Amino acid sequence: QNRIKKITRLSLFNLIMFLFTSTTTKSTARAFIMATMMMVQVGLLTIVPQVHGKANQGYDLDHDAPIRIGIKKRAKDCKVKSKRGDLISVHYVGTLYKDGEEFDSSRKRNQPFDFKLGAGSVIKGWDTGLSNMCIGEVRQLTLASELAYGDAGSPPKIHAGATLVFQVELMDIKDDGDEDLDDFFNSYYGSLNDDEDLDYYEQSHFGL
């Protein structure tokens, strides 16, 4: 933006010098300069947003970037939280971090997705990011490729090394989990998901 302004000022200065040293009358020159300055101001308003688009426009996070968990809606009454081994039901919308394009949505199908949390049946970022969640809560998960579909992606909709963003609402906890899955989860994913760890990620990435 600063570079554009400097170029604009220099161009206007050269234009003014040319007009006042030419045979053009001063009144005509002034009118021309005013019109030019108005067009430049309008032009800057349209140019700058194109130069400074969204911060994530056009790129993915590093493949091993940490998970980002944002709480978009908190449950009013939370009597039970999701844990490893629970059979949970969720609605979700998945978009590409790179350009915001939607690649999947359970809401468009009007059919929640059921899976056992921590059993390795979904991508790693879901098993990690949907633990300790209340029914009715909505989270936004931002997952680097290592927590999603890796270097290969999932063509044609998910490109190689894609960072993914999911808006996930926990609709129901259908079955309490088997605590024996804790050992499997910790060995496969690493111990991450107690309340203290989730609070750390929320605060560090979303200022909650």
Side-chain angles (χ1 to χ4, degrees):
Q1 184 176 359
N2 290 334
R3 186 178 180 184
I4 294 174
K5 288 182 177 180
K6 288 179 181 178
I7 294 173
T8 303
R9 291 193 192 104
L10 181 60
S11 299
L12 283 174
F13 176 79
N14 290 335
L15 177 62
I16 291 169
M17 293 300 294
F18 170 78
L19 289 173
F20 276 100
T21 55
S22 68
T23 56
T24 308
T25 64
K26 289 186 178 181
S27 59
T28 305
R30 289 195 188 99
F32 186 82
I33 291 169
M34 291 298 295
T36 303
M37 291 180 67
M38 290 178 65
M39 287 188 291
V40 168
Q41 289 176 346
V42 174
L44 282 176
L45 292 175
T46 58
I47 292 172
V48 171
Q50 295 175 1
V51 175
H52 297 275
K54 294 187 299 181
N56 58 336
Q57 189 170 4
Y59 72 91
D60 292 297
L61 297 177
D62 292 340
H63 70 95
D64 57 351
I67 188 173
R68 300 180 182 181
I69 303 174
I71 309 300
K72 296 301 182 181
K73 177 185 175 184
R74 297 187 183 276
K76 293 182 179 179
D77 185 21
C78 187
K79 295 180 179 179
V80 61
K81 292 185 177 183
S82 61
K83 64 182 183 301
R84 295 183 288 270
D86 286 348
L87 179 63
I88 65 174
S89 180
V90 301
H91 260 310
Y92 67 90
V93 177
T95 57
L96 299 177
Y97 180 85
K98 187 174 183 178
D99 57 15
E101 182 178 352
E102 183 178 301
F103 60 83
D104 194 14
S105 173
S106 65
R107 294 192 181 278
K108 286 187 176 180
R109 296 189 295 272
N110 197 29
Q111 182 177 358
F113 176 67
D114 298 348
F115 71 98
K116 183 159 285 193
L117 186 63
S121 60
V122 293
I123 58 177
K124 187 175 179 180
W126 274 34
D127 274 336
T128 300
L130 301 181
S131 184
N132 297 308
M133 194 171 179
C134 303
I135 295 174
E137 182 179 330
V138 179
R139 289 185 181 181
Q140 178 170 298
L141 307 180
T142 302
L143 310 176
S145 60
E146 194 171 275
L147 298 172
Y149 291 96
D151 293 336
S154 183
K157 293 186 176 181
I158 300 176
H159 59 274
T163 299
L164 306 181
V165 178
F166 290 95
Q167 291 266 1
V168 185
E169 180 178 3
L170 180 60
M171 307 301 294
D172 194 13
I173 299 175
K174 293 187 172 182
D175 184 27
D176 287 339
D178 185 351
E179 295 297 333
D180 290 339
L181 279 174
D182 284 351
D183 292 336
F184 165 79
F185 186 94
N186 289 334
S187 63
Y188 189 77
Y189 295 114
S191 179
L192 177 64
N193 281 315
D194 58 23
D195 287 334
E196 181 179 354
D197 284 327
L198 281 180
D199 287 341
Y200 166 76
Y201 279 105
E202 291 169 11
Q203 291 170 7
S204 63
H205 292 292
F206 293 91
L208 299 177

